[in-house]
Amino acid sequence: MLSNSFNDSTVNHQAFSLTGIPGMQESNSWMAFPLCVLYILTIVGNFMILFVIKTEQSLHEPMYLFLSILACSDLGLAVSTMPTMLGVYWFDYREISFTSCLTQMFFIHLFQWTESGILMAMAFDRFMAIRDPLRYTSLLSNTVIVKIGIAILARAFCLLFPIPFLIKRLPFCRSNVLSHTYCLHQDAMNLACADITVNKLYGLIIVVSTLGLDVVVILVSYVLILQTVLSIASHTERLKALNTCVSHVCAILIFYIPMIGVTAVHRFGRHLPPLVPTLMANIYIAVPPVLNPIVYSVKTKQIQERICKMFQ
């Protein structure tokens, strides 16, 4: 009898339940409107960046081609997450099927680690532009940039491909309630009633081989950039060179600060009000894709002028 009961309890859930603001369900609709605005701004802003780069001949340079790949990644992340987030907050629709959850999980992590790789490539791009401006466009030709983009996507895809299968093999006999309005690997694996050491170790391998490597390359690139800039005799030229890196530095901060904030809240913020982790989780997913096109539009004169012409 006990054996039958145990076997019944370890059958995988057919669906997970997503969570809005814990204990404050009546406040969910207040979160829906700003998220909807962010979603619209993300779609419009990133499509505008792609349109401007495609139609403006002067923007067919390595830096802007990398920016167009970044915009595609942001659009992918927004499309992967926002529908379920809005469903929870606006319509109180919390259920997500097991297969849909695994699919969403894969694409969220895919676009996040792709974006990390793009930011790394953009750091190398800035170094090449400042270190060797005469050969910059010939070294980073369109073909080379396409190959770099494919390599970044392939790295993320190959590393993340086993993740859904690692989750699918686990038995779930406890709660099926996830702690966010979207599916993440670490969130789902913590609901399993089995040893999750393999999942934890593989998750660590992914973080080290993507995020860890990317951060090291970005830091090394900027150390080399500073060395190169300090060797420039003209003060005006130094400032001009550093100014070309401002947008990229902002994009790095926009991507990594929310990630660090969410990690810190989950690890050390157990006694915080439930609204804080929820806000941090939403900022982590929803804010970077909307801020990137704004930052590059404000800091890039050619993009600014082209957008102004569109509206005139």
Side-chain angles (χ1 to χ4, degrees):
M1 189 70 174
L2 285 172
S3 175
N4 289 339
S5 175
F6 179 78
N7 288 335
D8 290 342
S9 67
T10 56
V11 175
N12 283 351
H13 294 303
Q14 294 302 307
F16 285 113
S17 180
L18 301 170
T19 302
I21 305 174
M24 300 173 65
Q25 280 74 17
E26 69 282 356
S27 303
N28 279 346
S29 58
W30 291 98
M31 189 75 77
F33 180 73
L35 279 175
C36 185
V37 171
L38 286 175
Y39 187 42
I40 293 168
L41 289 175
T42 297
I43 299 299
V44 172
N46 284 289
F47 268 118
M48 190 175 290
I49 289 288
L50 290 171
F51 176 77
V52 168
I53 292 172
K54 179 177 172 56
T55 56
E56 187 62 44
Q57 193 66 34
S58 64
L59 296 178
H60 292 182
E61 296 179 4
M63 172 181 161
Y64 301 109
L65 295 177
F66 280 124
L67 176 57
S68 65
I69 300 173
L70 184 68
C72 290
S73 178
D74 284 336
L75 284 169
L77 184 60
V79 171
S80 300
T81 55
M82 281 294 183
T84 58
M85 293 172 74
L86 290 173
V88 171
Y89 287 121
W90 219 316
F91 305 108
D92 201 32
Y93 187 78
R94 301 171 182 280
E95 187 174 288
I96 182 170
S97 70
F98 188 74
T99 303
S100 297
C101 187
L102 293 181
T103 305
Q104 185 185 53
M105 180 191 305
F106 175 80
F107 281 106
I108 287 175
H109 293 304
L110 177 72
F111 289 120
Q112 283 183 323
W113 299 135
T114 299
E115 184 154 337
S116 178
I118 295 164
L119 291 173
M120 173 191 67
M122 292 174 85
F124 179 72
D125 164 78
R126 291 297 81 214
F127 166 66
M128 291 298 296
I130 293 170
R131 184 68 175 265
D132 199 353
L134 296 178
R135 298 172 60 211
Y136 167 58
T137 52
S138 61
L139 289 172
L140 288 175
S141 63
N142 290 356
T143 305
V144 171
I145 292 168
V146 169
K147 287 179 180 178
I148 291 172
I150 292 171
I152 289 168
L153 185 61
R155 179 191 70 165
F157 181 88
C158 292
L159 284 170
L160 290 167
F161 186 74
I163 288 291
F165 300 100
L166 288 175
I167 290 292
K168 201 169 185 178
R169 72 186 178 87
L170 296 172
F172 293 92
C173 55
R174 300 172 188 162
S175 168
N176 68 335
V177 179
L178 298 169
S179 58
H180 299 303
T181 51
Y182 46 85
C183 296
L184 294 177
H185 172 243
Q186 58 268 33
D187 202 10
M189 75 177 182
N190 287 329
L191 297 179
C193 54
D195 184 17
I196 57 172
T197 304
V198 173
N199 292 68
K200 287 182 176 180
L201 286 175
Y202 192 73
L204 181 62
I205 290 169
I206 291 176
V207 170
V208 171
S209 56
T210 53
L211 190 66
L213 176 64
D214 295 346
V215 168
V216 169
V217 173
I218 289 169
L219 289 174
V220 170
S221 296
Y222 272 96
V223 168
L224 295 173
I225 286 170
L226 286 173
Q227 285 181 346
T228 306
V229 168
L230 291 174
S231 67
I232 299 172
S234 169
H235 179 69
T236 305
E237 290 299 317
R238 284 184 193 176
L239 290 177
K240 187 178 177 181
L242 288 174
N243 192 51
T244 62
C245 300
V246 172
S247 298
H248 180 246
V249 171
C250 290
I252 292 169
L253 296 176
I254 288 166
F255 180 76
Y256 287 108
I257 287 177
M259 184 181 292
I260 294 167
V262 167
T263 304
V265 165
H266 276 285
R267 192 168 292 271
F268 307 111
R270 293 179 181 177
H271 302 296
L272 291 171
L275 183 61
V276 175
T278 302
L279 281 173
M280 286 302 300
N282 290 338
I283 289 169
Y284 167 58
I285 286 292
V287 172
V290 77
L291 285 184
N292 283 331
I294 293 173
V295 166
Y296 277 94
S297 299
V298 170
K299 293 300 297 179
T300 308
K301 189 177 179 182
Q302 297 100 311
I303 293 177
Q304 237 180 56
E305 289 174 350
R306 188 70 179 84
I307 290 173
C308 288
K309 284 181 184 177
M310 284 171 60
F311 285 106
Q312 285 173 359

